[in-house]
Amino acid sequence: MLKDAKARIAVLVSGGGTNLQALLDAQKSGILRSGEIVLVVSNNPDAYALTRAQNAGVATAVLTKRDCGGQAGFEAKLHETLKTADIDLVILAGFMSILSAEFTDRWPKKIINVHPSLIPSFCGQGFYGLRVHEAALSYGVKVTGATVHFVNEIPDGGQIILQKAVEIQPGDTPETLQKRVMEQAEWILLPRAAEMVSAEIVNKGKGETV
Ligand code: GAR
């Protein structure tokens, strides 16, 4: 065990970054204590999440598929950026891009994601952001929630770490449901899972990625 060591965390974002904010707040309050957020990477130069990172004094990077010449170039640059920053754990927090098996195979059990439904419902390709809540409401489920899981080559298909149920209320819109799922589930689960996985990485002595 590496005493006093912390897992070095990179958070990948695309938009508003409320889940990133929950992680930053958890770091401040001590809920997240075995890991330290050292880098925020956005695939969207206009993401408000970048401002949140800057306000917290965390280094940022912007990588777009367009600038990298497509998915393979983007993933190669992302891998290089993460290795350069000596990252131990990658957290997808509202990151709206699917990573290929070539990338996820290089970070086994080192990437986690928060998804705004109870997997295996309303997940996989095409289910992201508000679309997930639209699908839950149009199906008519009475309970939804959020899931934090490890990321592998199957979109939203990796091992589940934590889940929490949230009730749907009469008159819910995708927006009201999204807000309740974030408040009651995502912002609680993601920091908790980040701490669990960081602690495991530190206890194992920070394994190597390829
Ligand atoms: C969150 O609800 C997150 O779970 C979801 O997008 C939102 C991002 O909000 N992610 C996905 O749907 C990924 N499949 P945020 O930028 O405020 O954290």
Side-chain angles (χ1 to χ4, degrees):
M1 190 204 307
L2 291 170
K3 280 246 168 71
D4 303 329
K6 290 193 182 207
R8 290 174 62 81
I9 298 173
V11 184
L12 272 52
V13 296
S14 300
T18 64
N19 279 289
L20 167 66
Q21 192 64 55
L23 289 165
L24 292 166
D25 293 348
Q27 191 167 273
K28 228 182 199 170
S29 70
I31 291 170
L32 174 56
R33 56 192 174 280
S34 302
E36 184 183 356
I37 301 162
V38 295
L39 179 65
V40 170
V41 182
S42 177
N43 63 349
N44 167 14
D46 300 323
Y48 183 68
L50 289 167
T51 305
R52 295 182 190 271
Q54 283 148 13
N55 288 344
V58 176
T60 59
V62 175
L63 299 178
T64 66
K65 274 188 212 173
R66 213 179 59 180
D67 292 346
C68 298
Q71 183 71 20
F74 170 78
E75 291 184 351
K77 185 75 186 155
L78 178 59
H79 182 74
E80 184 195 311
T81 304
L82 298 173
K83 292 304 278 181
T84 304
D86 201 16
I87 296 303
D88 300 304
L89 172 62
V90 180
I91 301 181
L92 311 186
F95 181 64
M96 305 303 188
S97 178
I98 290 176
L99 296 165
S100 74
E102 284 67 40
F103 185 87
T104 58
D105 284 354
R106 299 176 93 178
W107 296 85
K109 288 276 181 96
K110 296 285 170 63
I111 312 174
I112 67 172
N113 176 49
V114 62
H115 182 77
S117 76
L118 293 174
I119 290 174
S121 290
F122 312 117
C123 64
Q125 201 130 19
F127 287 97
Y128 57 86
L130 269 182
R131 289 180 182 212
V132 179
H133 304 293
E134 281 162 12
L137 288 175
S138 80
Y139 197 95
V141 291
K142 302 297 176 204
V143 175
T144 184
T147 304
V148 181
H149 61 93
F150 285 109
V151 173
N152 63 9
E153 71 287 357
I154 304 159
D156 298 323
Q159 186 193 326
I160 290 172
I161 304 167
L162 291 173
Q163 279 188 313
K164 192 166 186 284
V166 174
E167 285 195 8
I168 285 163
Q169 304 287 342
D172 259 341
T173 62
E175 289 77 11
T176 61
L177 184 56
Q178 179 182 54
K179 186 164 180 279
R180 188 174 322 109
V181 169
M182 283 176 159
E183 284 171 355
Q184 294 186 6
E186 295 186 54
W187 300 340
I188 301 164
L189 289 193
L190 186 60
R192 215 179 266 170
E195 172 56 25
M196 284 168 60
V197 178
S198 295
E200 208 171 294
I201 288 172
V202 171
N203 288 337
K204 274 193 190 148
K206 294 181 166 229
E208 268 298 296
T209 53
V210 283

